[in-house]
Amino acid sequence: LATDVLSGERADDGLYIPIIKRIEAGLSSGRLLFVGDCKMSALATRAYMAERQHAYLAPLPLTGGTADTMAQWIDEGIAKDREGALPPSMRVNPCGTAVLVAEGYERERPCALAGSAPSWSERVLVVRSPVHAAQQAVGLEKRLVQAEHKLAALTPARGRGKRQLTDEVTLVEAIARVLQEQQVEGLLTVAWERQVEQQIHYVGRGRGSAKRAQQVREHIRYHITRIAREEDTIATLTARFGWKAFVTNATQQRLSLADAVLCYRNEYRIERIFNRLKSRVHIAPLFVTRDDQIEGLTYLLTLGVRVLTVMEFVLRRSLQNEQTHLPGLHPENGKKMTNTPTAERILKAFLEVSLSILQTATGEEIRRWLTPLSALQQAILSRLGLATSLYQQLGIQNSGN
């Protein structure tokens, strides 16, 4: 509904209210639901939407007081999970199987913005995603393995070109640096020992003898003997993975916890728009020099992306409402059928369409040859609400200039 082209050095927080005002001006209906990222959860933005009686749904950033409060919310969620008091949020996947999307609980709190703005009440949705938790666990395992390899490499065996650490302070600093770089502080225990090797040398030059003075030289090195994982600490940390907090002022009747989770998960559709701008319509690089050219070309390309998005939405809605599928959109697999075609595959279905125009030497007559529509192409146009006569008019022969 609204697109802005802004310079990159501007902060995101202050851009939401102007966009919301433009949307309000274009829509007559009130009480809209705005779903956004953590930048939209700024208190001033939430206060404006609450004052205008709009609903919002946004995640809270782990900064400021929220970071401290989030630890308490996670503790409460873990306790509820042990009691089996976390209601699940389910979703049916494309295979028709119900899968667990998230589980969580909610609490209510008052909100107010300093000044004359009225206070309001909002719900805090504390949600745990099993998929996100598993991804974080995999990332932690990779960091632990990398830290173990780097720690072991600090004290290699004696040999040519193998630098030995001879100072304990240097070893301690190197261990702390590895743990900090891999973000595994407190998760690994490292033990080391001081090894002393004594060698006897004769004083001065020449061959040794029984009466010649000797001296003892000590070669000191530090060697890491054990790298152990703190399994209890790791298990405690892993239990806190996957948690996220959302805020909304919508009522439970309008937006339940499960509906809020699924609603926010659909935000990927917005991200697909930006992916199309980059990979399909190739918004970058822009071979222009003036700011107005950049702005105009960006608006033009975003308009094209909107056409792709609307076309895809309308066709998918028609297929899902009729519970049917379209064949022939996957040339690599002719038997494959889908009810979620992409706009790119829809356009490829019309790739072989051509219009040939022949004009006589006198210029008195124009002949046109138009590729007939296939059954698949007719079905697509019909589900898009477009009559095939619009296409057939391209082939009408006209007389005269």
Side-chain angles (χ1 to χ4, degrees):
L1 294 175
T3 302
D4 268 344
V5 181
L6 304 168
S7 55
E9 76 278 3
R10 299 184 59 177
D12 295 345
D13 300 33
L15 303 178
Y16 290 93
I17 293 179
I19 286 288
I20 293 172
K21 290 181 178 179
R22 289 177 54 188
I23 294 176
E24 288 176 331
L27 296 176
S28 58
S29 59
R31 300 180 181 274
L32 303 173
L33 172 62
F34 291 92
V35 182
D37 56 12
C38 58
K39 297 296 183 64
M40 198 190 78
S41 65
L43 185 59
T45 306
R46 284 149 51 201
Y48 176 83
M49 289 185 284
E51 183 181 6
R52 302 288 293 177
Q53 296 186 347
H54 296 312
Y56 57 80
L57 173 64
L60 287 174
L62 293 178
T63 57
T66 303
D68 299 330
T69 310
M70 188 65 189
Q72 302 174 9
W73 292 341
I74 293 177
D75 291 338
E76 185 176 348
I78 294 175
K80 289 180 177 293
D81 186 26
R82 293 171 181 169
E83 299 171 358
L86 285 181
S89 300
M90 310 297 291
R91 179 176 60 182
V92 179
N93 61 16
C95 299
T97 306
V99 295
L100 176 64
V101 176
E103 52 189 2
Y105 69 98
E106 64 178 80
R107 56 193 303 133
E108 194 167 337
R109 67 178 184 181
C111 290
L113 184 64
S116 58
S119 61
W120 73 97
S121 178
E122 71 178 6
R123 297 156 57 205
V124 180
L125 313 178
V126 187
V127 178
R128 179 183 180 272
S129 169
V131 175
H132 188 205
Q135 292 174 345
Q136 288 182 301
V138 170
L140 175 61
E141 178 63 25
K142 289 182 179 179
R143 297 199 307 273
L144 286 171
V145 172
Q146 290 178 358
E148 290 169 342
H149 285 281
K150 290 185 176 182
L151 289 173
L154 292 177
T155 56
R158 294 182 185 273
R160 179 175 296 180
K162 303 294 185 180
R163 183 182 178 184
Q164 304 297 317
L165 292 179
T166 60
D167 181 64
E168 186 174 11
V169 174
T170 304
L171 175 62
V172 172
E173 292 177 350
I175 292 174
R177 185 164 53 252
V178 171
L179 297 178
Q180 183 178 11
E181 288 175 354
Q182 299 301 321
Q183 301 177 8
V184 292
E185 296 170 286
L187 304 182
L188 292 176
T189 300
V190 184
W192 61 87
E193 64 180 7
R194 183 175 183 265
Q195 297 179 349
V196 180
E197 180 182 352
Q198 294 183 344
Q199 293 181 349
I200 300 176
H201 296 270
Y202 289 103
V203 178
R205 302 175 62 182
R207 294 184 178 182
S209 64
K211 297 181 180 180
R212 189 170 177 182
Q214 298 178 346
Q215 64 179 3
V216 179
R217 295 180 181 177
E218 292 185 345
H219 296 276
I220 301 174
R221 69 183 290 264
Y222 285 87
H223 177 66
I224 293 178
T225 58
R226 186 173 64 91
I227 303 173
R229 296 188 180 187
E230 295 290 339
E231 298 295 346
D232 293 340
T233 306
I234 293 174
T236 302
L237 177 63
T238 305
R240 306 179 71 84
F241 283 167
W243 290 94
K244 201 176 188 67
F246 299 84
V247 287
T248 180
N249 63 335
T251 62
Q252 291 185 353
Q253 292 75 18
R254 181 177 183 183
L255 194 67
S256 65
L257 190 147
D259 292 338
V261 171
L262 297 178
C263 182
Y264 184 78
R265 290 294 182 89
N266 288 331
E267 196 180 19
Y268 77 93
R269 297 173 179 174
I270 306 299
E271 299 299 330
R272 286 187 64 208
I273 294 177
F274 294 103
N275 179 61
R276 277 182 169 147
L277 279 172
K278 297 176 182 178
S279 62
R280 300 299 181 184
V281 299
H282 302 292
I283 195 171
L286 295 177
F287 297 100
V288 293
T289 57
R290 301 199 312 266
D291 290 345
D292 60 336
Q293 293 175 328
I294 296 175
E295 186 174 357
L297 186 56
T298 302
Y299 282 133
L300 177 62
L301 295 179
T302 54
L303 181 61
V305 170
R306 289 184 185 184
V307 173
L308 293 176
T309 304
V310 171
M311 177 173 60
E312 181 179 284
F313 169 76
V314 172
L315 185 57
R316 288 185 176 188
R317 181 181 59 182
S318 175
L319 293 172
Q320 292 172 4
N321 288 342
E322 299 182 13
Q323 296 183 354
T324 186
H325 297 70
L326 276 179
L329 289 178
H330 295 266
E332 70 280 1
N333 186 357
K335 296 182 179 180
K336 184 175 181 178
M337 304 181 69
T338 179
N339 64 344
T340 57
T342 63
E344 289 76 14
R345 290 194 179 273
I346 296 172
L347 293 178
K348 284 183 179 180
F350 293 85
L351 191 61
E352 302 300 327
V353 169
S354 63
L355 172 64
S356 302
I357 302 177
L358 178 63
Q359 186 173 2
T360 60
T362 59
E364 296 179 352
E365 184 178 1
I366 297 178
R367 296 186 179 274
R368 300 168 182 255
W369 287 270
L370 189 62
T371 304
L373 290 176
S374 65
L376 172 62
Q377 293 166 346
Q378 293 181 21
I380 292 175
L381 291 178
S382 174
R383 295 187 181 282
L384 289 176
L386 302 175
T388 55
S389 59
L390 294 175
Y391 174 79
Q392 295 169 353
Q393 288 178 359
L394 298 173
I396 297 178
Q397 297 183 9
N398 297 328
S399 301
N401 297 328

